[in-house]
Amino acid sequence: MSTNLVNYLKLRLGQSNVTASNNVTNWSGTCYITPLIGAFLADSYLGRYWTIAIFVIVYVIGMTLLTLSASIHGLKPECIKDDCNPTGSQTAVFFAALYIIALGTGGIKPCVSSFGADQFDETDEFERKKKSSFFNWFYLSINIGALIASSVLVWIQMNVGWSWGFGVPTVAMAIAVVFFFSGSNLYRLQKPGGSPLTRIFQVLVASMRKYSAKVPSDKSLLYETPDMESNIEGSRKLEHTEKFRFFDKAAVETETDNVKGMVDPWRLCTVTQVEELKSIVKILPVWASGIVFATVYSQMSTMFVLQGNTMDQHIGPHFEIPSASLSLFDTVSVIFWVPIYDQIIIPVVRKFTHRERGFTQLQRMGIGLVISIFAMVVAGALEVIRLDYVRRNNYYDRTTIPMSIFWQVPQYFLVGCAEVFTFIGQLEFFYDQAPDAMRSLCSALSLTTVALGNYLSTLLVTIVTDITTRDGKLGWIPDNLNRGHLDYFYWLLAILSLINFFVYLLIAKFYTYKKVTGKPR
C-alpha cells in the first residue's frame, strides 16, 4: 500500500511534497508501532495463531473501506482533469481506512515470521538448519508480492484508476486469509506464557527490594525450579550470565520470599525469569542501531519517488513507468540476493568461519549497514548530476527533464541488497535471541525500528525544511525540486548512517549470545 501512496496524497488529496511525504512516513511508522499491541496479546493470552486470525479480519475491513473511499461517489474526491477538491469528510474516511489497516497489520507483522519459525523443532538438528533458511525464503516471498505491487499495481493505479488499484490488493488479502485458515489443522502452536511485561516488572521490583542483598559467588545458589522445565509456559530454561548482575538480586533467596508456603513472584524470581529481562536489555542497543537504517529504507517511498517524478519516465514513445514503480528494482534486488546468499555466500563463508550460518547474525546486519551508506552516496551523487543538468540547460521550471529515470536503479538495487543482510538478519536475530515466551514481542520490537526510522525521516524533513526555508529561501526540498538541494538531504543521511555504523561496531563487540537449557514446559 505504501509504494505509491505519496502520489495518491498529492494527486487526489492535493497535498504538497512535504505534507504527503510526512503523511506516508507517519502512517508507515504507525504500521510498525501497532505490532507491539499484537505481540503482547500473542505472547500473553491468545497465542500467535489466534492473534493472526483476529487481526487479518480487521485488516480486510480496513482495505475494503479504503477501496470504497476511492470508488463510491460521495466518498471519493471530485476531480476535474487533474484538479481534485476533497472535502474534510472524504479525507477523514481515507485516513480512517489507512489507520484501520495499520491496526490490522499490528497483529500480523510480529506473529507471521515467528509463527512460521515455530513450525521448526529446535531440538532436531535438520529442522534447526532449515529454520535459518526459512527467514530468507519468508522475506523472499514478501518481496515477490512487493514486486507485483510496485509494477502491476502501481501501473493500475496510475493508468486504470485508484479504485482498481486499491481493490486488487483487497481481494488478494481476502484470498490470503483463506489460505491461512486452510492450514489450521497442520500448524504447531506455541502456548502463550502469560504477560511478559508482568514478569519483567516482577524482576525489577524484586531486585529493587533486595538492593542490599549480596549475590552469591556460586550461581547455583540462585533460585531456579528444580526440574528440567521452566515454570514459564512454553519456555525453556536460560543459563545464568554475568552481565547486569544487579538483576540477579531478584533470584537471591531470603526468609521473607515465601508467603504461606508459596513463593511470591514479586519478591523472588527464577534465574530464567531474570535472564529474560537481561536478554531484552542486551538486545536494546542492537535494536536502536537499526533506526537509522530504517530511515534510509523509508526514502524509497518518499524522496526516491519525488526525485523520480522530475525525470523522464518513458520506456519507448508511448509507455511511461510511474516513478513509484522503480521500487520493483529494490524487490528484484532482494529476489536476486536471497538465493545467492542462501545457496552460495553462506556455504563459501562457512568454509572459513566454520559456523553453521556462515556469518554471525550481528556480522550479517553490519554488512547491510555498510551497503546502506553506499546507497545514500549513490542517490546523492545522482541528484548532484541531475541538478547540474538542470543548471546547464536552464530546466528549472520544467516538470520533468530529459534524463532517464532508470539512473535511479543503482540506489534501489543497493537498498535491496542491504535489506537482505540487515532486515533478514534482524528477523533471525530477534527471534533467536528472544526468550521463548517473548518471541512475538521481540519480533515486534525489531519492527519498531522501521516505525522509528519513518518518524525520524519525518522529523529530519521537518527540521531541514524549517531551517532551510528561513529568510524566504526555497529550502532543500521545495515543491519544485529543480530549485532545491535534495542532494544535501541524502548527504545528511549518509553521514548519520556512517556514525551509526561505528556505534554499531562497539555494540556488536560487547554482545554475548543467549544460551538455553532444558525443554519447554
Side-chain angles (χ1 to χ4, degrees):
M1 294 310 303
S2 65
T3 306
N4 201 31
L5 188 58
V6 70
N7 277 330
Y8 184 88
L9 296 177
K10 283 187 64 180
L11 300 175
R12 290 292 180 266
L13 298 187
Q15 297 183 348
S16 68
N17 279 346
V18 169
T19 302
S21 172
N22 284 348
N23 276 328
V24 171
T25 50
N26 286 340
W27 175 72
S28 297
T30 304
C31 287
Y32 288 91
I33 285 289
T34 54
L36 290 171
I37 300 170
F40 177 77
L41 293 173
D43 282 341
S44 304
Y45 308 111
L46 299 176
R48 286 186 261 282
Y49 172 82
W50 283 109
T51 302
I52 296 169
I54 292 168
F55 280 80
V56 289
I57 304 302
V58 176
Y59 196 105
V60 170
I61 292 171
M63 289 293 297
T64 303
L65 181 59
L66 189 73
T67 303
L68 293 175
S69 74
S71 309
I72 295 179
H73 178 74
L75 289 181
K76 69 176 182 178
E78 296 297 327
C79 301
I80 301 173
K81 292 186 178 180
D82 293 330
D83 184 26
C84 296
N85 297 290
T87 64
S89 58
Q90 289 169 343
T91 302
V93 169
F94 178 81
F95 277 99
L98 279 184
Y99 281 90
I100 290 172
I101 292 169
L103 177 61
T105 202
I108 302 171
K109 284 185 184 296
C111 297
V112 171
S113 62
S114 297
F115 186 65
D118 286 345
Q119 309 312 307
F120 297 86
D121 184 356
E122 291 190 352
T123 62
D124 183 286
E125 184 179 352
F126 176 78
E127 288 197 27
R128 188 175 66 251
K129 289 180 180 178
K130 290 296 181 184
K131 187 187 75 174
S132 181
S133 290
F134 162 76
F135 288 105
N136 292 327
W137 297 106
F138 170 78
Y139 201 77
L140 175 71
S141 70
I142 292 173
N143 278 271
I144 291 172
L147 178 64
I148 298 169
S150 58
S151 54
V152 177
L153 194 60
V154 170
W155 186 87
I156 290 172
Q157 289 170 345
M158 299 302 285
N159 294 278
V160 179
W162 290 96
S163 57
W164 280 94
F166 291 147
V168 170
T170 302
V171 173
M173 189 63 193
I175 294 170
V177 172
V178 173
F179 271 105
F180 174 75
F181 283 118
S182 68
S184 296
N185 293 331
L186 304 175
Y187 299 138
R188 175 184 287 156
L189 304 182
Q190 178 86 6
K191 295 178 182 178
S195 172
L197 296 180
T198 300
R199 294 197 301 275
I200 287 172
F201 281 116
Q202 284 173 343
V203 175
L204 290 172
V205 170
S207 56
M208 288 179 186
R209 278 177 166 172
K210 298 177 180 177
Y211 69 93
S212 59
K214 185 178 180 181
V215 178
S217 56
D218 182 359
K219 299 307 180 289
S220 64
L221 297 176
L222 295 174
Y223 176 68
E224 183 57 280
T225 53
D227 51 15
M228 290 295 292
E229 296 179 355
S230 166
N231 65 345
I232 301 168
E233 191 77 38
S235 181
R236 294 167 294 176
K237 284 185 176 180
L238 294 172
E239 291 185 9
H240 178 268
T241 59
E242 293 297 328
K243 288 189 175 182
F244 310 112
R245 294 189 62 187
F246 174 80
F247 297 129
D248 289 340
K249 295 176 183 290
V252 175
E253 295 190 67
T254 63
E255 294 179 357
T256 60
D257 293 333
N258 292 293
V259 179
K260 297 181 180 179
M262 299 289 289
V263 173
D264 181 358
W266 293 94
R267 292 182 176 275
L268 182 63
C269 305
T270 63
V271 169
T272 295
Q273 193 174 338
V274 172
E275 291 300 320
E276 273 192 335
L277 175 57
K278 288 185 181 181
S279 295
I280 298 298
V281 174
K282 282 195 302 181
I283 65 177
L284 284 178
V286 179
W287 164 81
S289 66
I291 295 172
V292 174
F293 178 84
T295 303
V296 170
Y297 175 76
S298 72
Q299 302 314 305
M300 285 196 302
S301 59
T302 53
M303 295 308 166
F304 284 14
V305 175
L306 297 176
Q307 184 184 36
N309 286 344
T310 67
M311 303 175 78
D312 182 10
Q313 300 165 26
H314 282 90
I315 304 176
H318 304 296
F319 184 78
E320 287 188 30
I321 181 171
S323 58
S325 284
L326 252 71
S327 64
L328 69 86
F329 288 101
D330 162 75
T331 307
V332 167
S333 177
V334 172
I335 294 171
F336 173 78
W337 282 107
V338 163
I340 287 180
Y341 181 85
D342 197 71
Q343 302 297 319
I344 298 175
I345 295 177
I346 288 180
V348 170
V349 174
R350 188 184 291 142
K351 291 179 181 178
F352 295 96
T353 64
H354 305 293
R355 294 191 183 98
E356 189 177 281
R357 297 167 176 169
F359 297 111
T360 66
Q361 293 154 352
L362 290 172
Q363 287 172 339
R364 178 176 184 171
M365 289 188 282
I367 292 169
L369 295 182
V370 172
I371 297 171
S372 72
I373 297 171
F374 285 106
M376 285 298 95
V377 170
V378 169
L382 175 64
E383 185 64 8
V384 169
I385 294 169
R386 195 190 70 80
L387 289 175
D388 183 61
Y389 191 74
V390 168
R391 181 185 55 78
R392 284 188 287 108
N393 295 279
N394 196 29
Y395 286 154
Y396 290 105
D397 294 317
R398 291 188 60 162
T399 306
T400 59
I401 64 172
M403 181 177 181
S404 175
I405 194 173
F406 289 100
W407 284 106
Q408 282 192 305
V409 170
Q411 64 204 55
Y412 279 102
F413 200 81
L414 283 170
V415 172
C417 182
E419 282 180 65
V420 170
F421 285 90
T422 298
F423 274 159
I424 302 179
Q426 279 184 344
L427 278 175
E428 191 174 355
F429 176 82
F430 282 93
Y431 182 86
D432 271 6
Q433 296 306 302
D436 292 343
M438 292 188 182
R439 280 177 164 165
S440 294
L441 192 63
C442 286
S443 292
L445 192 64
S446 72
L447 293 169
T448 58
T449 61
V450 180
L452 294 175
N454 277 282
Y455 293 147
L456 178 58
S457 178
T458 300
L459 180 65
L460 288 173
V461 169
T462 302
I463 292 172
V464 162
T465 301
D466 180 62
I467 293 174
T468 62
T469 55
R470 291 174 183 173
D471 301 322
K473 295 178 181 177
L474 289 174
W476 290 3
I477 315 171
D479 286 339
N480 181 357
L481 291 180
N482 294 337
R483 295 184 179 275
H485 264 295
L486 184 59
D487 53 327
Y488 292 173
F489 186 71
Y490 288 141
W491 301 140
L492 174 64
L493 289 178
I495 293 167
L496 289 175
S497 297
L498 183 63
I499 295 169
N500 181 65
F501 174 68
F502 285 121
V503 173
Y504 176 82
L505 289 179
L506 288 174
I507 294 167
K509 181 179 179 180
F510 294 104
Y511 186 84
T512 54
Y513 290 89
K514 79 168 188 181
K515 295 179 181 178
V516 298
T517 184
K519 58 183 179 179
R521 184 180 165 199

